[in-house]
Amino acid sequence: MPQGDKSAYTDKQKRKAAHIADGYEERGVPEKEAEARAWAAVNKDSGGGNLSGSGRGKPDTHVSSHDGGKQAAGRSAAAKSAAAKKGWETRRKKANG
């Protein structure tokens, strides 16, 4: 399979890559770079194309999608606590109408 050939990928993997690339483009990443990053994320999640061979049907690991939670790691404990308190107040007000 020549480099760049996507025939070994499932339709779900292709849709996933397109969605990820769209997100990067919305944030200002050039189209080619966005596509490259998107396919890297798909490959990280699923280990590459899943259409043929013994690897077909292996579940995705979703490793890349879990990286988003690391954004809060840079905040202080006080900032996290303040955010939690604010969220609680908002939910309490909505519940009480």
Side-chain angles (χ1 to χ4, degrees):
M1 180 171 72
Q3 187 173 0
D5 183 13
K6 305 296 186 228
S7 62
Y9 289 89
T10 63
D11 288 339
K12 180 179 180 180
Q13 288 175 306
K14 291 174 186 175
R15 286 192 310 272
K16 190 174 192 178
H19 181 73
I20 294 168
D22 289 344
Y24 278 123
E25 287 175 25
E26 285 175 10
R27 286 179 264 157
V29 177
E31 185 177 350
K32 282 195 159 218
E33 175 69 17
E35 188 175 342
R37 288 184 189 184
W39 282 108
V42 169
N43 286 335
K44 188 173 183 180
D45 280 350
S46 61
N50 284 340
L51 272 187
S52 63
S54 62
R56 185 172 184 177
K58 286 186 179 178
D60 290 351
T61 62
H62 305 293
V63 172
S64 299
S65 57
H66 289 286
D67 287 344
K70 294 179 183 174
Q71 292 173 345
R75 294 194 299 174
S76 68
K80 291 177 191 175
S81 180
K85 288 176 186 174
K86 182 178 178 183
W88 172 249
E89 289 297 322
T90 302
R91 286 190 297 278
R92 192 175 65 148
K93 287 178 186 174
K94 285 184 181 179
N96 293 335

